[in-house]
Amino acid sequence: DYTCEEIFGKIEEANRGNIPGYVTSTGASNAWLISDKFNNSITGRGVKVAVVDTGMDYTHPDFGNCTRVDFLAHRCEKIPYGYDFVNNDAEPEDTYGHGTYVAGIVAANGLMKGVAPDAKIYAYKVALGVPTTLSAYYSSIISAINQALDPNGDRNFSDRVDIMVLSIGDYCGSYNSNCGSSDVLSRA
């Protein structure tokens, strides 16, 4: 068995160097050897993770090869829900690749394994990407956070995600009202 300190030590060690692969560099496969109080391996089973980014390729083999028809009908086992806040539609197609990459680190379960391969992904597209830059409106990010708290919009929060991943940055240069503890996103 590994202690939390040992697991976090492995993650910190991997983050200091070049990270060649998701699981091997983080030590997550060691965490899978640990059992919870119900004697289940810690693989993300039963955990819902919102990836708020550039969208996601839900047809990717490491996410179960879901079809467009099944995704739009919320019948994909790995990615049961998503939304595109850039184009305001139900299909968070990742035209940049970053969101799919982030989701892979979190929960790929195919040829590549994420750190929590049995977790479910809720994909929210908030950023529009071109090869040299990404952009997102704060309103899109906040809307995605709100929807992750109530994915089906019925005001019953029992379907909320457990974890949100926002791999988003902002250029500040020096402190201004758009960056720091008093900006609109920090207050959300």
Side-chain angles (χ1 to χ4, degrees):
D1 289 345
Y2 296 92
T3 66
C4 287
E5 291 80 19
E6 289 171 323
I7 292 169
F8 284 115
K10 290 181 180 292
I11 292 170
E12 286 177 14
E13 187 176 289
N15 286 337
R16 283 194 295 270
N18 185 18
I19 301 176
Y22 305 147
V23 174
T24 56
S25 64
T26 64
S29 58
N30 293 327
W32 300 340
L33 303 174
I34 300 170
S35 297
D36 64 15
K37 65 182 178 180
F38 303 108
N39 207 28
N40 296 314
S41 297
I42 301 174
T43 60
R45 184 177 316 277
V47 177
K48 297 180 279 187
V49 181
V51 176
V52 180
D53 208 290
T54 61
M56 187 173 169
D57 179 3
Y58 53 80
T59 68
H60 194 283
D62 289 342
F63 299 115
N65 289 317
C66 192
T67 66
R68 180 178 190 270
V69 170
D70 284 340
F71 180 80
L72 293 175
H74 307 292
R75 292 190 302 246
C76 296
E77 184 178 337
K78 185 72 172 172
I79 310 159
Y81 195 81
Y83 193 80
D84 181 341
F85 289 97
V86 174
N87 299 303
N88 291 315
D89 62 41
E91 189 172 10
E93 179 185 8
D94 189 355
T95 55
Y96 186 75
H98 189 265
T100 302
Y101 178 77
V102 170
I105 292 170
V106 173
N109 195 4
L111 181 61
M112 293 296 293
K113 297 276 190 201
V115 295
D118 292 330
K120 305 265 188 230
I121 295 291
Y122 287 59
Y124 297 105
K125 181 174 183 172
V126 298
L128 182 59
V130 294
T132 56
T133 185
L134 288 173
S135 62
Y137 291 106
Y138 287 136
S139 59
S140 295
I141 297 166
I142 292 168
S143 293
I145 292 169
N146 285 334
Q147 193 163 86
L149 295 173
D150 184 16
N152 66 5
D154 66 357
R155 297 191 162 287
N156 177 341
F157 301 110
S158 63
D159 59 341
R160 71 186 179 283
V161 300
D162 303 297
I163 299 167
M164 292 187 207
V165 177
L166 289 85
S167 181
I168 297 170
D170 193 1
Y171 174 74
C172 292
S174 61
Y175 181 81
N176 63 49
S177 62
N178 294 322
C179 302
S181 60
S182 63
D183 69 77
V184 66
L185 193 55
S186 296
R187 292 189 315 252

